Amino acid sequence: MLVSVDADVTVVMTTYNNFDFTMASVWAIRRFFPTMKIILADGGSDLGVIYKTKEYIRLHDKNCIFTLYDGIPIEDYRNASAALVDTKYILFMDNDSKMLAKGSLLMLVDILEKDDSVAECGAYGIVISD
């Protein structure tokens, strides 16, 4: 593999009002990729959830960014957050998704690296054991 997944992939994660789901998803990513950039694209959560999320990031995760988009469709705030990405690849996911194995993301990046004709790839319900 020619890329460093931590350095060349940014996660754009859509969130809305579920701090526990969001943190579980972030922790799952951090288990395998401790320095990967994560952008939390929030769709207008309650103020308490926003505060807890921003406070967690401030205290514990310097590679995570919180962006707030209130009152616009999810695809619009997902795309607005994607415009902030400066890495080679973007992984879009929702806060109720969990990264269960390091190999799943490595496999997706490997597909993109091996074939210039592939513009995007993704997985749903993928099972890979490390």
Side-chain angles (χ1 to χ4, degrees), residues 8-97:
D8 290 325
V9 177
T10 297
V11 173
V12 172
M13 183 186 303
T14 55
T15 68
Y16 181 76
N17 262 350
N18 199 319
F19 177 79
D20 293 335
F21 275 20
T22 300
M23 289 302 102
S25 293
V26 169
W27 295 329
I29 294 166
R30 291 291 176 244
R31 191 171 109 198
F32 303 113
F33 304 104
T35 61
M36 180 179 287
K37 186 175 178 183
I38 300 172
I39 299 173
L40 300 178
D42 190 276
S45 293
D46 295 335
L47 290 178
V49 174
I50 292 169
Y51 175 79
K52 280 174 62 174
T53 305
K54 290 173 83 172
E55 188 67 5
Y56 177 85
I57 291 167
R58 184 182 72 77
L59 294 173
H60 302 288
D61 200 330
K62 64 181 173 120
N63 292 319
C64 195
I65 298 168
F66 182 84
T67 56
L68 179 62
Y69 305 95
D70 194 4
I72 63 174
I74 189 171
E75 60 274 5
D76 292 343
Y77 66 85
R78 180 182 290 129
N79 291 336
S81 290
L84 303 173
V85 173
D86 59 0
T87 56
K88 189 172 183 178
Y89 299 112
I90 301 172
L91 172 64
F92 290 109
M93 62 187 289
D94 297 325
N95 69 334
D96 61 352
S97 303

